[in-house]
Amino acid sequence: MGGHLTYDDRRKIAEGLAEGLSYAEIARRLGRPRSTVGREIARNGGPYGYRAARAQQATGWRARRRPSPPLSAPAAADTGGRDPRAVREYEDRLTAVMSGMPPMAARVLVCLFTSDAGDMTVADLVERLRVSPASISKGVGWLEQVGLVKRERDSRRERYLIDEEVWYRAWLVGTRSMALWADAVREGVDVLGVQTPAGHRLHTASRFFRLLSDDMAAAAEHYRQTVSPATRNADRAP
C-alpha cells in the first residue's frame, strides 16, 4: 500500500497503541513501513498522546503551511548540505524514543541537540517545529526544570542552549528518580510490615530501585571522570 496515510489508517494506529502493540505490529497490520508509522506517531503526540482526529487535522494544517519540497530540491542552508528529508526523519525517530518526557519537550530537545549551533530562539523553534510560541514555551519550561537546557539573552532575544553535557544531566535526572522511587517504596515496608506479603513485595522493589540508582550513579561518575567534555577541557587547561 502506498500514498499518504488516511484517517482510517490513523484510527487503526490509535487503536493499536491503545492495545499496546509495537510499531512493527501496527505497521504490519496497515501494510506500511515501520518507519512511516514511527514518524506519524512522533509528529503527532508520541505513543501516549496520539489521537487519530488530531493527527488528521495537524497533517492538513502542515500541508497548507509547509508544502513538501520536490525530491530534487537542494538541501536547505541551515542543514549544512545535508539531505533535509533524512535529517527530519532522523529527528522524528530520535523524538519517538524519548517517550519518558512530554512530547513537545522531546521535540525541542531534539531540535537543539541536532542543531550545529546548539542554540535557538523561540522564533527559530516555532519555524522549525511549526507550532505556537506557547507550545515552545511549555516544552522549554519542562526542559529547564530538569536542567537539560538553559536560556541566555542575546540583545533583545532569549536563546535556548544545550551543551555537550546534556546526556549526562539527563542521566542524573534518572538517577535521582530511581533514588526517590527506592526511598518512597521503602517507606511502605514500615507501614505495611516487613513480614506481610505486601511489605515483602515493597522491600524487594525498594532493593531493586536502590540497585539501579547506585549503578546509574556509578556510571555517571565514570562518565564525569573519563568522558565528560568539561573534564577534558579542564585537563587541557594550562
Side-chain angles (χ1 to χ4, degrees):
M1 182 186 300
H4 297 294
L5 291 173
T6 65
Y7 176 69
D8 188 56
D9 292 332
R10 293 186 167 93
R11 183 176 57 80
K12 291 177 180 177
I13 289 175
E15 291 173 352
L17 290 172
E19 293 175 27
L21 301 181
S22 67
Y23 289 6
E25 177 61 20
I26 295 173
R28 187 188 66 78
R29 291 188 176 187
L30 290 177
R32 301 274 188 168
R34 183 190 180 284
S35 59
T36 298
V37 172
R39 288 195 301 271
E40 168 69 14
I41 295 171
R43 288 171 178 164
N44 296 288
Y48 302 107
Y50 186 87
R51 300 292 184 273
R54 187 186 307 162
Q56 185 75 9
Q57 292 174 350
T59 299
W61 182 81
R62 284 194 294 264
R64 291 191 297 272
R65 290 292 302 275
R66 180 170 51 87
S68 299
L71 292 176
S72 58
D78 64 353
T79 61
R82 307 176 184 99
D83 179 357
R85 181 171 297 180
V87 171
R88 178 55 59 92
E89 290 178 353
Y90 170 71
E91 290 176 345
D92 289 340
R93 290 196 299 273
L94 186 57
T95 301
V97 303
M98 295 185 180
S99 55
M101 64 176 64
M104 185 51 61
R107 295 181 69 190
V108 170
L109 182 61
V110 167
C111 277
L112 290 171
F113 193 74
T114 57
S115 165
D116 285 329
D119 65 79
M120 289 183 169
T121 65
V122 171
D124 294 333
L125 290 166
V126 167
E127 181 179 1
R128 182 80 168 269
L129 297 176
R130 302 291 177 177
V131 296
S132 69
S135 297
I136 297 297
S137 179
K138 186 174 181 180
V140 168
W142 189 91
L143 292 169
E144 281 189 301
Q145 185 177 358
V146 298
L148 295 182
V149 302
K150 57 183 179 179
R151 69 175 73 196
E152 290 183 358
R153 181 165 292 279
D154 175 15
S155 183
R156 292 182 298 175
R157 299 179 302 175
E158 285 188 338
R159 305 189 71 86
Y160 302 105
L161 296 86
I162 188 171
D163 61 32
E164 296 182 41
E165 297 282 308
V166 61
W167 300 122
Y168 172 67
R169 298 181 193 282
W171 189 259
L172 288 182
V173 171
T175 301
R176 290 193 292 269
S177 296
M178 287 299 103
L180 290 173
W181 269 93
D183 292 341
V185 173
R186 182 63 183 82
E187 289 180 13
V189 177
D190 296 331
V191 174
L192 299 173
V194 69
Q195 301 301 325
T196 66
H200 177 73
R201 189 181 308 118
L202 289 175
H203 178 66
T204 301
S206 176
R207 291 180 61 189
F208 172 72
F209 288 126
R210 180 59 62 187
L211 178 63
L212 281 180
S213 176
D214 291 345
D215 286 348
M216 292 172 72
E221 179 62 18
H222 176 75
Y223 171 85
R224 190 187 67 81
Q225 293 184 3
T226 62
V227 184
S228 167
T231 300
R232 294 200 304 269
N233 293 337
D235 290 342
R236 287 196 295 265

